[in-house]
């Protein structure tokens, strides 16, 4: 299996062991040490301890149809690690983002969960 680091680098054996024991939640695998997501080229991973700020973002997208227009909501999970590195994960389901945020809040109580203007200023590059 090819591993794609979200930040930092880990040993393949360590990643494989954590991935095998992980809990599947939608498109994510929630491990003891890492958060995983399958991609076309491999499995993306990020140590949950490295996440300083996480929030759900909803993007409104307007689209034209044959008979008019419609709006779609696109879900994003934004993860910020040390040094202000942002990872934007586009999701299909609101529930996936909410579940990962709740899991992260339990695992990493030091992480800021949820968006606010104060947190945006705090984690500005």
């Amino acid at each position: 299996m090819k591993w794609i680091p979200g930040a930092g680098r880990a040993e393949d054996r360590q990643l494989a062991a954590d991935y095998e024991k992980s809990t599947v939640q939608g498109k994510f695998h929630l491990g003891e040490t890492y958060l995983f997501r399958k991609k076309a080229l491999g499995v993306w991973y990020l140590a949950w301890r490295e996440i300083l700020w996480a929030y759900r973002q909803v993007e409104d997208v307007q689209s034209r149809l044959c008979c008019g227009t419609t709006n779609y909501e696109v879900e994003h999970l934004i993860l910020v690690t040390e040094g202000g590195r942002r990872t934007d994960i586009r999701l299909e389901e609101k529930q996936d983002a909410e579940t990962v945020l709740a899991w992260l809040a339990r695992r990493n109580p030091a992480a800021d969960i949820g968006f606010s203007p104060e947190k945006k200023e705090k984690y500005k590059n």
Side-chain angles (χ1 to χ4, degrees), residues 64-90:
R64 285 183 43 171
L65 300 172
C66 63
C67 55
T69 61
T70 187
N71 288 339
Y72 295 99
E73 289 186 346
V74 179
E75 296 284 332
H76 296 266
L77 179 63
I78 310 295
L79 305 172
V80 179
T81 57
E82 289 186 23
R85 182 177 177 170
R86 268 175 218 279
T87 301
D88 181 342
I89 303 170
R90 190 166 24 172

Side-chain angles (χ1 to χ4, degrees), residues 2-25:
K2 181 175 179 183
W3 302 101
I4 305 166
R9 188 80 185 125
E11 295 291 322
D12 288 356
R13 287 186 311 248
Q14 182 185 14
L15 291 168
D18 197 34
Y19 185 81
E20 288 299 316
K21 292 186 279 182
S22 65
T23 303
V24 178
Q25 178 60 51

Side-chain angles (χ1 to χ4, degrees), residues 15-85:
L15 291 168
D18 197 34
Y19 185 81
E20 288 299 316
K21 292 186 279 182
S22 65
T23 303
V24 178
Q25 178 60 51
K27 303 241 180 208
F28 291 94
H29 288 246
L30 311 175
E32 287 296 315
T33 306
Y34 297 96
L35 170 65
F36 299 98
R37 181 154 189 232
K38 285 188 176 182
K39 299 274 196 175
L41 301 175
V43 178
W44 173 89
Y45 68 92
L46 179 64
W48 53 260
R49 287 183 184 97
E50 295 178 12
I51 299 170
L52 302 176
W53 181 30
Y55 61 94
R56 180 179 150 255
Q57 182 178 37
V58 180
E59 176 185 11
D60 286 324
V61 178
Q62 190 176 44
S63 180
R64 285 183 43 171
L65 300 172
C66 63
C67 55
T69 61
T70 187
N71 288 339
Y72 295 99
E73 289 186 346
V74 179
E75 296 284 332
H76 296 266
L77 179 63
I78 310 295
L79 305 172
V80 179
T81 57
E82 289 186 23
R85 182 177 177 170

Side-chain angles (χ1 to χ4, degrees), residues 106-122:
R106 287 190 307 274
R107 286 279 180 184
N108 188 1
D112 278 331
I113 305 296
F115 183 85
S116 73
E118 294 80 19
K119 291 176 187 176
K120 181 178 180 180
E121 186 63 31
K122 179 180 177 181

